[in-house]
Amino acid sequence: MAALAYTLGKREINHYFSVRSAKVLALAAVLLLAGCHLASRRYRGNDSCEYLLSSGRFLGEKVWQPHSCMMHKYKYNEAKNCLVDKHIAFVGDSRIRQLFYSFVKIINPQFKEEGNKHENIPFEDKIASVKVDFLWHPEVNGSMKQCIKVWAEDSVAKPHVIVAGAATWSIKIHNGSNEALSQYKMNITSIAPLLEKLAKTSDVYWVLQDPVYEDLLSENRKMITNEKIDAYNEAAVSVLNSSTRNSKSHVKMFSVSKLIAQETIMESLDGLHLPESSRETSAMILMNVYCNKILKPVDGSCCQPRPPLTLMQKLAACFFTLSIVGYLIFYIIYRNAHRKNKPCTDLESGEEKKNIINTPVSPLEILLQSLCKLGLIMAYFYMCDRANLFMKENKFYTHSTFFIPIIYILVLGVFYNENTKEFLPVYMHVRVLVAAYLFQTGYGHFSYFWVKGDFGIHRVCQVLFRLNFLVVVLCIVMDRPYQFYYFVPLVTVWFMVIYVTLALWPQIIQKKANGSCFWHFGLLLKLAFLLLCICFLAYSQGAFEKIFSLWPLSKCFELKGNVYEWWFRWRLDRYVVFHGMLFAFTYLTLQKRQILSEGKGEPLFSSKISNVLLFISVVSFLTYSIWASSCKNKAECNELHPSVSVVQILAFILIRNIPGYARSVYSSFFAWFGKISLELFTCQYHIWLAADTRGILVLIPGNPMLNIIVSTFIFVCVAHEISQITNDLAQIIIPKDNSSLLKRLACIAAFFCGLLILSSIQDKSRY
């Protein structure tokens, strides 16, 4: 009964929720969410600086998350680079002095909090020409007004950034009287025009007062209550008026420190001054407000304008627009033609006469439809990660957010377990189930070419198109270099290495090897030569960089102006394909000699050998896992990884395939995802994560769990649709006829030459 209920349950789910219905639901969700975000930005404004200065929440201890955008953590060299030849002035009381110290420590971490507390404190970095001053003005009075008046009206050099604020001294000195509050409001009113004038040429921030922890206040500070602080803040806001958005001619209200203090003031030593971690957060927010628009860090989306469209992006937009228009015209014409050919009714018999039984789908329709869909999907990519329509937040790890989805996915995988109608051999399991993709590539393609002896260019072009199509489109639409999506260049290069190794003379296939063991020896020599070449390039960085720094290879493999990242990635997995090819050779040899028992339900080897190998595999798998998780020195682990990673992969293969019952069961859920794994890996850069994987895409703000469910659902549907589009286009663009294929390859080569030329023009215009 349980098995019957299990089967019926799966059928019920599959009947009412198909892939097609899921995609329709995903499209509806995208349109609805895009409309909501667009309306929200029109209503609340589109200035992420405003959000950064006024709202946010703690994700964890010392981790502040602004509303809707990502905050970059500046290092001292970045801060100096941003603030070169700049003058920043902090004006106010002891709380502003604390903020000054934290700000300076970003520029110089060794700076010590020294000096008379009730005097001005200067700081200067002569190398970077950065000057930061603290000016002691604990009250909003004539003294502070005179300081600001000098900057506003005289011809002296004005600070580029002014951070001011004060109130607690006025409350303390006047014992919290209402007359002092009225005087404070009058003084703010007299200073406001000067601040407004300064705000036209400098960045001016008024820091609202943080709450206090009244239980810890000393007796001479008991009059500084949160009620009084709120009253002073209301007076400052009403006078300075921070309601106007998107205008540099108004003073910006720095109110986010209040939210930070509400969470951390209990950790204060005296109830008045914030703990150091809170001050550091406020200082980092100030650094983001000023520097993000200058340095444009990838993981600092706050205060960054939308990047301008490049020439290639404009051309891509025109191309996809024309494709959509072309498909609509074709569809209208086709529909009219279909109506004309619609079956008519015989008046005498009352039966329909069918003019056309089946209308074949033309390649042109498939092409236009695929490009139309792709254009709409690329528009979604752009909206998510370039247009600033949807929100982005910093990544933050917790055990619950990691393990709960993993457990949920594992349960689904078990729920969709299937028994194979026919026994799956080891070969199929290795290709479908092994997690190391490069190992699969080395094994699968090697065994195919060796067994079939098919070294035709059509199959190679199909594979290369399947691997690279999405990445090439994303490079154009998202304005990223090819090497940015490092996994695809890696797999592409290693696939070509496998193909060239086997296709070069003498071509050795299994048919020849079955006739003479001499061909086995020749194949081993080929593998040995491949290993020698890999070792030479791995330990000769200079030679490697010279090869891949040549144009046009440099355009494909450079990242940030050099090929070091490509060398590092290539070197990290340098032996996996060799291991895969060697494994394939061993497997096919054992299969030929009938050493393997691949019958259904039978162990792969004899019982004793199977048990021993299974035990060794389990121990090896656990040992490697413990070693990898406890590794302390990353450089040493990276050096050992290429040689020892084969241990865990081989152990997994043996554990999965030695028991016969394990080979006859698979998860259709995981197998379905395996078919779109390449698209999932590539799409995650922009529509699951955000800011080129530095952050998280936020479609539903304020509800992280619901957001990850919805964004993941849309992400998977998009990846599946792109997989289908790629397969459809591959059938059209890569014909089986060799003469037609060569013409298409010439056109593709011309297209890539054009891309390289346009890319070079773009790079020159940027610099």
Side-chain angles (χ1 to χ4, degrees):
M1 289 296 293
L4 179 60
Y6 169 81
T7 305
L8 291 175
K10 286 197 294 183
R11 287 179 180 176
E12 191 76 10
I13 292 172
N14 294 334
H15 177 72
Y16 288 105
F17 195 73
S18 64
V19 173
R20 182 180 178 83
S21 60
K23 290 177 182 177
V24 172
L25 183 60
L27 177 61
V30 169
L31 295 175
L32 177 62
L33 291 169
C36 291
H37 279 266
L38 188 62
S40 174
R41 289 192 178 276
R42 284 185 175 274
Y43 174 74
R44 299 185 61 180
N46 197 29
D47 187 3
S48 57
C49 276
E50 184 73 22
Y51 297 135
L52 179 60
L53 290 169
S54 62
S55 58
R57 69 186 190 280
F58 275 104
L59 296 178
E61 188 179 1
K62 302 180 183 179
V63 181
W64 181 256
Q65 173 59 61
H67 175 70
S68 84
C69 63
M70 297 165 58
M71 192 170 76
H72 178 65
K73 188 172 183 179
Y74 278 90
K75 299 177 182 177
Y76 73 93
N77 55 339
E78 294 175 313
K80 288 182 179 180
N81 187 29
C82 166
L83 301 175
V84 63
D85 295 327
K86 296 295 187 294
H87 179 203
I88 298 95
F90 288 80
V91 184
D93 54 15
S94 57
R95 286 177 160 185
I96 299 297
R97 183 179 64 237
Q98 281 190 310
L99 188 58
F100 157 80
Y101 278 130
S102 296
F103 189 87
V104 170
K105 284 181 179 180
I106 299 175
I107 305 169
N108 182 6
Q110 281 74 43
F111 185 75
K112 296 181 180 179
E113 299 185 15
E114 297 176 345
N116 194 321
K117 293 183 177 181
H118 296 168
E119 290 183 359
N120 299 341
I121 304 173
F123 168 81
E124 185 174 4
D125 190 308
K126 294 183 178 179
I127 298 175
S129 299
V130 180
K131 186 179 179 183
V132 187
D133 290 327
F134 168 70
L135 305 178
W136 172 253
H137 293 285
E139 289 189 87
V140 181
N141 53 20
S143 175
M144 179 182 285
K145 180 179 179 180
Q146 183 61 32
C147 172
I148 296 172
K149 187 176 181 180
V150 171
W151 290 330
E153 298 182 353
D154 293 353
S155 59
V156 297
K158 303 174 179 61
H160 298 88
V161 181
I162 299 169
V163 182
T168 55
W169 271 68
S170 297
I171 300 173
K172 177 183 175 182
I173 292 174
H174 301 285
N175 201 29
S177 66
N178 292 330
E179 292 79 6
L181 176 60
S182 300
Q183 186 63 44
Y184 177 84
K185 191 169 185 177
M186 290 175 59
N187 292 341
I188 284 275
T189 304
S190 66
I191 291 176
L194 301 174
L195 292 175
E196 291 287 345
K197 188 175 181 179
L198 272 175
K200 294 178 181 179
T201 56
S202 305
D203 287 352
V204 181
Y205 303 94
W206 186 266
V207 182
L208 296 183
Q209 294 300 301
D210 302 328
V212 296
Y213 192 48
E214 297 180 10
D215 294 345
L216 286 179
L217 291 174
S218 59
E219 287 300 322
N220 62 340
R221 291 175 176 168
K222 288 292 185 181
M223 70 290 297
I224 308 175
T225 63
N226 287 321
E227 183 181 356
K228 288 293 180 183
I229 286 176
D230 290 340
Y232 274 71
N233 283 337
E234 288 175 10
V237 170
S238 64
V239 173
L240 295 174
N241 186 12
S242 64
S243 61
T244 303
R245 300 179 187 272
N246 300 321
S247 175
K248 293 184 179 180
S249 63
H250 286 79
V251 178
K252 299 178 180 69
M253 305 302 296
F254 193 82
S255 58
V256 69
S257 60
K258 288 170 44 184
L259 300 179
I260 297 171
Q262 287 172 3
E263 300 293 331
T264 60
I265 192 63
M266 289 77 71
E267 302 171 16
S268 171
L269 296 177
D270 58 6
L272 178 67
H273 299 99
L274 293 177
E276 189 172 359
S277 61
S278 303
R279 294 187 289 152
E280 290 172 353
T281 301
S282 295
M284 194 61 71
I285 289 172
L286 279 175
M287 191 69 73
N288 273 259
V289 170
Y290 188 77
C291 290
N292 281 4
K293 57 181 176 290
I294 298 173
L295 298 185
K296 295 180 174 61
V298 176
D299 60 341
S301 63
C302 300
C303 300
Q304 275 202 55
R306 181 177 63 84
L309 288 172
T310 65
L311 176 60
M312 285 200 291
Q313 285 176 319
K314 292 176 182 177
L315 291 174
C318 292
F319 173 78
F320 284 124
T321 302
L322 290 174
S323 299
I324 293 171
V325 172
Y327 176 69
L328 292 176
I329 294 172
F330 182 91
Y331 180 75
I332 292 170
I333 295 172
Y334 171 79
R335 186 172 59 179
N336 289 336
H338 184 68
R339 282 177 178 174
K340 290 179 181 179
N341 294 324
K342 189 176 181 181
C344 57
T345 305
D346 189 334
L347 296 177
E348 294 182 2
S349 64
E351 295 179 355
E352 289 186 341
K353 295 180 179 180
K354 297 182 180 179
N355 296 328
I356 298 175
I357 297 174
N358 269 326
T359 304
V361 180
S362 68
L364 178 60
E365 182 182 356
I366 296 173
L367 178 65
L368 290 174
Q369 186 183 57
S370 298
L371 293 176
C372 178
K373 291 179 180 178
L374 185 64
L376 295 175
I377 290 172
M378 288 301 111
Y380 177 64
F381 271 78
Y382 189 85
M383 285 193 303
C384 288
D385 214 18
R386 292 294 180 270
N388 294 332
L389 174 63
F390 297 117
M391 301 176 181
K392 304 177 182 69
E393 290 187 352
N394 295 91
K395 289 189 287 188
F396 180 70
Y397 172 82
T398 62
H399 291 304
S400 60
T401 56
F402 178 77
F403 285 108
I404 290 175
I406 291 293
I407 294 171
Y408 177 70
I409 290 170
L410 287 174
V411 170
L412 282 176
V414 172
F415 180 76
Y416 280 94
N417 265 355
E418 300 286 350
N419 290 315
T420 58
K421 294 180 180 179
E422 294 182 0
F423 174 72
L424 290 179
V426 178
Y427 169 71
M428 290 297 295
H429 280 293
V430 173
R431 293 201 63 189
V432 176
L433 299 172
V434 176
Y437 195 93
L438 291 175
F439 199 101
Q440 293 178 44
T441 305
Y443 175 45
H445 290 298
F446 173 88
S447 54
Y448 179 87
F449 289 135
W450 196 32
V451 173
K452 301 294 184 184
D454 182 0
F455 298 95
I457 192 171
H458 172 262
R459 173 163 293 277
V460 175
C461 292
Q462 282 276 348
V463 174
L464 293 179
F465 184 90
R466 176 77 172 81
L467 286 173
N468 291 275
F469 173 72
L470 174 59
V471 166
V472 171
V473 174
L474 286 179
C475 288
I476 298 170
V477 173
M478 306 305 291
D479 188 29
R480 283 295 174 265
Y482 179 63
Q483 182 54 219
F484 177 75
Y485 306 94
Y486 66 90
F487 180 73
V488 172
L490 269 175
V491 177
T492 300
V493 168
W494 284 122
F495 172 77
M496 292 305 299
V497 167
I498 295 168
Y499 180 79
V500 171
T501 301
L502 295 175
L504 283 177
W505 183 90
Q507 290 184 3
I508 303 170
I509 60 176
Q510 193 176 39
K511 191 173 182 180
K512 292 181 180 180
N514 287 339
S516 172
C517 290
F518 172 79
W519 294 105
H520 286 85
F521 179 72
L523 190 56
L524 289 173
L525 285 179
K526 275 193 174 188
L527 296 182
F529 179 73
L530 172 62
L531 180 61
L532 186 64
C533 293
I534 291 172
C535 291
F536 171 75
L537 291 175
Y539 293 101
S540 180
Q541 184 178 353
F544 185 95
E545 291 184 350
K546 284 181 180 178
I547 294 171
F548 288 98
S549 295
L550 296 173
W551 196 90
L553 289 178
S554 59
K555 295 300 298 180
C556 295
F557 297 103
E558 278 186 355
L559 192 64
K560 298 179 181 177
N562 60 68
V563 296
Y564 174 78
E565 183 71 15
W566 166 237
W567 180 77
F568 172 77
R569 296 286 185 184
W570 179 90
R571 196 170 182 268
L572 198 60
D573 292 311
R574 59 187 180 271
Y575 297 133
V576 287
V577 166
F578 171 78
H579 290 148
M581 295 175 75
L582 187 61
F583 178 85
F585 173 82
T586 305
Y587 165 70
L588 293 173
T589 303
L590 293 175
Q591 190 182 53
K592 176 194 171 185
R593 297 180 179 276
Q594 298 182 345
I595 295 176
L596 303 177
S597 301
E598 295 185 293
K600 190 171 183 179
E602 297 178 2
L604 194 61
F605 303 96
S606 63
S607 298
K608 289 184 179 180
I609 295 176
S610 295
N611 291 335
V612 171
L613 286 177
L614 198 57
F615 175 77
I616 294 173
S617 299
V618 171
V619 172
S620 300
F621 189 89
L622 294 175
T623 303
Y624 180 89
S625 300
I626 294 170
W627 170 79
S629 60
S630 61
C631 184
K632 302 297 182 182
N633 191 318
K634 186 179 179 181
E636 292 181 3
C637 293
N638 286 343
E639 189 64 32
L640 287 172
H641 170 77
S643 302
V644 301
S645 60
V646 66
V647 173
Q648 191 179 43
I649 297 171
L650 186 58
F652 177 82
I653 293 172
L654 294 175
I655 293 170
R656 182 69 175 88
N657 288 281
I658 285 177
Y661 61 86
R663 295 199 305 275
S664 61
V665 178
Y666 77 103
S667 171
S668 58
F669 179 78
F670 292 145
W672 185 87
F673 276 96
K675 293 176 182 178
I676 59 171
S677 58
L678 182 65
E679 287 75 18
L680 289 171
F681 180 86
T682 309
C683 291
Q684 60 149 346
Y685 278 73
H686 305 293
I687 62 168
W688 193 48
L689 301 175
D692 299 336
T693 72
R694 302 297 181 90
I696 294 173
L697 178 67
V698 179
L699 300 177
I700 302 177
N703 195 326
M705 188 58 67
L706 181 60
N707 177 70
I708 195 66
I709 292 172
V710 173
S711 63
T712 302
F713 174 70
I714 297 172
F715 159 62
V716 173
C717 290
V718 169
H720 188 272
E721 186 62 31
I722 291 177
S723 177
Q724 289 187 333
I725 291 171
T726 305
N727 289 331
D728 291 340
L729 291 177
Q731 302 301 320
I732 298 171
I733 296 174
I734 311 296
K736 293 182 179 180
D737 179 61
N738 284 339
S739 60
S740 301
L741 178 58
L742 290 175
K743 292 177 183 178
R744 297 282 176 87
L745 291 179
C747 294
I748 292 172
F751 171 75
F752 278 108
C753 287
L755 277 184
L756 292 173
I757 293 170
L758 284 175
S759 178
S760 299
I761 294 172
Q762 251 181 212
D763 292 342
K764 287 181 180 179
S765 64
R766 283 173 178 169
Y767 295 108

